[in-house]
Amino acid sequence: MSHAKVDANPFLAALDGKTRARPPIWLMRQAGRYLPEYREIRARAPTFLDFCYNPGLAVEATLQPIRRFGFDAAILFSDILVIPDALGQDVSFEAGEGPRLRPLQTQADIEALRPELNVGRLNPVFETIERLRTKLPEDVALIGFCGAPWTVATYMIAGRGTPDQAPARRFAYLQPDLFQRLIDCLVDVSSDYLVRQFQAGVQAVQIFDSWSGVLPVAEFERWCLDPVHAMISRVRSRVPEARIIAFPRGAGTYLPRFTAGAGTERMGLSALGLDTSVDPDWAATALPEKLPLQGNLDPIALLAGGPRLDEAIDRILAAFDGRPHIFNLGHGILPETPIAHVEQLMQRVRRGRQ
Ligand code: 1CP
C-alpha cells in the first residue's frame, strides 16, 4: 500500500504509529444483533454458519455499521469458529444459546481433524473480503480476524462457551502433549487462514484471545503467548508488512510479556488491544512508547449512556493523548446497546480531545 493511501486512512496510520488530533475508532462486534438492519438480514439465512458463508449477506453485515456510524474500519463479518468447522468438527449455533460443537475428548478425535486449511470450505470468506475491498471507501480500512489457538481450542474441547474454560484447562493439565498437538494444528491452520485473508485484501488482522485471562503464568506462556508469537512470525514470513493486532483479553499483569519486540519493524505485534480492566494510564506509561494501543471503553458504560459515558470516553482520550491510539471497546458491544449511545460515542470521539 502506498503512503498516500495510508495517510488517507486514519486507522492504518495509527497502526503505523502515527498520532492524530483524534484517534480512529471501530468497535469489536460492531456488526451484529444490536443493529435492527442486521436482525433483518440475519433472518434470511437458515443457520448462522450459512450466514457467514454467504458472501452477499456477509458483505452487507460488514457494511451496515460503516454506513450507519462511519467507523474508520470495517471488520469482516464471520466468526472464530469457522476454523473448527473447516477442520471437520461439527459446529452449530443455537439461537440465544451460543455455539455448540461436538467436544474433542480423545486422541482419536484430535487425530481425526483435517490438519490443513480447508480452503474449499472457507472460499466464501475470501470472496466476501474481495467484494468488500471494492465497496469500501479508501479512508475505511478492512480488518480480518481469527481466534487465537488457545481461545479456539477452549471451544473445541468444551463444545460450548463456559464461564471459565475449565474443560480445556483440565485437558491441558492432564494431556499436555495431546493438547500441544491441537494447538500446533491451530497455529498452522490459523496462520494460513490469515495469510489467505491478506491475499484476498484485508489490510490488518486481529487475533482474538478472548480467554487468555483464565490461565496461570506458565500456562499463559505456553498456550497463549508462544502460539500467538508463532502465528505472527509465520504470517510475517509470507506477508512481511502484515499489520497484526493482538487482543489477549484478561492478560492483565502479563501484558508486558506480549510486547517484546513490538513496534519494531517486522517483529512482534503491530498493536495491542486492551480489555476493560486495564488502567489506560498504566498502559500508556508501562507499555512500549511506540506501540499503538487499542481500547478500552467498558461495553456496559456504552450500554448505560448519559454523562458517565462521556466521562469514561474523555478519560480514555486523555490517557492515550500523544501516543498512537485506536479507540475501541474493552470487549464486544452488547446486543442490548441503544443505537443513540453509539452515536453519542462517535460524536464525542470525533469532537477530539478537550
Ligand atoms: O445469530 C447471531 O447473530 C449470532 C451472534 C454472533 C455474531 C453476530 C456470533 C455467535 N458471532 C458473531 C459475529 C462475530 N464473532 C464477529 C464479526 C462481527 C463483528 O465483530 O462485528 C467476530 C469478530 C466474532 C468473534 C468471536 N466469536 C469471538 C471473539 C470475540 C469475543 O467476543 O470475545 C468469540 C469468543 C466468538 C464465539 C461466539 N460466536 C458467537 C457467540 C455468541 C460466541 C460467544 C460464545 C460464548 O463464549 O458464549
Side-chain angles (χ1 to χ4, degrees):
M1 162 162 297
S2 75
H3 286 297
K5 275 191 182 161
V6 170
D7 284 345
N9 191 310
F11 171 84
L12 297 179
L15 275 185
D16 292 351
K18 309 240 167 34
T19 308
R20 302 256 175 126
R22 62 158 192 89
I25 176 169
W26 70 282
L27 303 182
M28 288 187 278
R29 310 292 281 266
Q30 67 191 15
R33 287 172 296 174
Y34 74 108
L35 290 176
E37 59 269 36
Y38 170 77
R39 294 195 295 271
E40 202 273 308
I41 60 166
R42 172 66 188 82
R44 292 188 208 160
T47 72
F48 180 66
L49 277 182
D50 290 328
F51 189 98
C52 292
Y53 292 141
N54 180 320
L57 293 174
V59 164
E60 181 58 23
T62 305
L63 294 175
Q64 283 176 342
I66 307 303
R67 284 193 208 109
R68 193 186 262 274
F69 303 113
F71 293 120
D72 295 296
I75 181 158
L76 165 72
F77 192 91
S78 182
D79 196 79
I80 64 167
L81 299 178
V82 299
I83 286 295
D85 180 60
L87 288 170
Q89 190 174 13
D90 284 340
V91 180
S92 63
F93 289 82
E94 302 296 328
E97 286 185 38
R100 293 288 180 272
L101 301 82
R102 201 175 52 78
L104 301 180
Q105 283 162 342
T106 64
Q107 182 158 350
D109 290 342
I110 289 176
E111 281 167 359
L113 296 171
R114 282 193 223 104
E116 74 289 337
L117 190 68
N118 184 345
V119 178
R121 188 89 177 131
L122 295 170
N123 257 339
V125 178
F126 308 129
E127 189 182 330
T128 300
I129 293 169
E130 283 163 16
R131 288 199 206 175
L132 280 166
R133 285 289 282 141
T134 67
K135 294 193 178 214
L136 283 166
E138 206 173 83
D139 59 350
V140 180
L142 180 59
I143 307 172
F145 71 93
C146 69
W150 162 250
T151 286
V152 174
T154 63
Y155 290 96
M156 295 176 82
I157 299 287
R160 53 169 66 209
T162 66
D164 53 6
Q165 302 301 1
R169 288 156 65 191
R170 183 163 181 267
F171 191 104
Y173 284 119
L174 290 174
Q175 301 189 74
D177 294 342
L178 193 52
F179 193 69
Q180 184 77 57
R181 281 171 66 176
L182 175 59
I183 292 288
D184 290 347
C185 165
L186 288 168
V187 167
D188 288 351
V189 169
S190 309
S191 305
D192 279 358
Y193 182 47
L194 293 184
V195 168
R196 289 271 181 166
Q197 292 186 36
F198 275 112
Q199 289 167 345
V202 303
Q203 294 158 301
V205 295
Q206 176 155 315
I207 301 176
F208 284 91
D209 212 348
S210 305
W211 292 102
S212 62
V214 296
L215 295 173
V217 66
E219 284 68 28
F220 176 84
E221 296 250 350
R222 181 165 184 190
W223 306 127
C224 295
L225 199 58
D226 293 350
V228 170
H229 276 149
M231 281 182 62
I232 292 174
S233 45
R234 201 76 70 82
V235 172
R236 291 263 169 78
S237 71
R238 289 162 67 193
V239 186
E241 308 306 325
R243 298 180 178 92
I244 303 175
I245 307 168
F247 176 58
R249 185 169 75 98
T253 55
Y254 311 150
L255 279 172
R257 292 170 196 256
F258 237 100
T259 62
T264 319
E265 211 178 337
R266 292 189 186 198
M267 277 184 53
L269 35 96
S270 316
L272 185 64
L274 305 175
D275 68 69
T276 302
S277 67
V278 178
D279 173 0
D281 288 322
W282 171 84
T285 50
L287 298 174
E289 197 182 0
K290 292 201 161 69
L291 175 68
L293 298 175
Q294 177 176 279
N296 70 341
L297 180 70
D298 184 358
I300 306 278
L302 186 60
L303 182 73
R308 297 289 94 74
L309 172 59
D310 285 341
E311 283 169 25
I313 296 165
D314 291 350
R315 217 172 298 126
I316 291 169
L317 290 173
F320 295 119
D321 195 9
R323 64 174 297 154
H325 175 220
I326 297 160
F327 203 101
N328 207 317
L329 296 172
H331 197 198
I333 189 168
L334 295 160
E336 307 79 27
T337 306
I339 301 283
H341 297 183
V342 183
E343 289 166 351
Q344 180 185 341
L345 166 64
M346 289 306 283
Q347 277 164 16
R348 194 92 187 167
V349 172
R350 288 275 155 90
R351 199 177 65 156
R353 302 176 177 102
Q354 295 302 294

